[in-house]
Amino acid sequence: MSEFSPSALGTREHWDAVYSRELQGFQEYGDEGEIWFGEGSMTRVIRWLSAQNIPLCSSILDIGTGNGMLLVELAKAGYNNLTGVDYCADAIALAKSICEKEGVSRSVTLQVTDFLGSFSPTQQFDICLDKGTFDAVSLDPDNAEERRLQYVQSLCRVLKPRGLFVITSCNWTAEELLRQFGKEFELKAELPTPSFSFGGQSGHSVTAMALQRRD
Ligand SMILES: C[S@@+](CC[C@H](N)C(=O)[O-])C[C@H]1O[C@@H](n2cnc3c(N)ncnc32)[C@H](O)[C@@H]1O
């Protein structure tokens, strides 16, 4: 597994500063802030869930929800049992404000919690989603390898056996993600993402895949 240089993006201080700014931007200008990997990354996940005929009442957790926009779009698509967690209090305050503005608060529960630490829901989820959070965890300057292992452990604690995990990453290839999660998860589907070519080589700027937890 390749290692990335530790980065500020792997620290809570970084995200506190980002969402403090974004919360202020929302309060002053109604700007919802950054959607990681763009609108298409939300559509891709929602289309895939709907193609699987996932019941709209399925319990869905968005890990490191940030501004909660993925949950807003899921709620608009009819999903009504949604939870978002983030360890950054301003991210959750922003997500709450956006959910209220968009009229979807009844379908969404939001909680400030460290996914790698204290999060212990009363029931396991049918589906867990991650867009950019495992990437952030992977950049933790304080022992990223251990943080990644903790992430997999937390995921297995909160996701039902045979439950689905849909991850979008800009740091890891599909093969690398399978190596990271493959002991506890099997590949369900790779979600097509835009490709680019450079210097005769082609690749993908993001990886999106669905994994299923083994029994
Ligand atoms: C790249 S941002 C993505 C935000 C959101 N998923 C999106 O797609 O816009 C990473 C998010 O993960 C959150 N995060 C990182 N480590 C976390 C942890 N251990 N527990 C909970 N949230 C975490 C950050 O606060 C940040 O909101």
Side-chain angles (χ1 to χ4, degrees), residues 15 19 34-36 64-67 86-88 113-116 131-133 136-137:
W15 296 110
Y19 286 106
E34 177 153 4
I35 295 172
W36 282 82
T65 196
N67 60 8
D86 204 294
Y87 65 5
C88 171
T113 192
D114 183 348
F115 181 67
L116 304 187
K131 195 158 68 65
T133 302
V137 166

Side-chain angles (χ1 to χ4, degrees), residues 89-126:
D90 280 348
I92 292 298
L94 175 61
K96 278 189 180 158
S97 302
I98 295 175
C99 283
E100 273 163 33
K101 181 183 158 210
E102 297 289 339
V104 299
S105 298
R106 276 169 40 152
S107 302
V108 182
T109 302
L110 291 159
Q111 190 183 329
V112 180
T113 192
D114 183 348
F115 181 67
L116 304 187
S118 53
F119 184 48
S120 43
T122 48
Q123 289 192 325
Q124 289 177 306
F125 292 89
D126 297 312

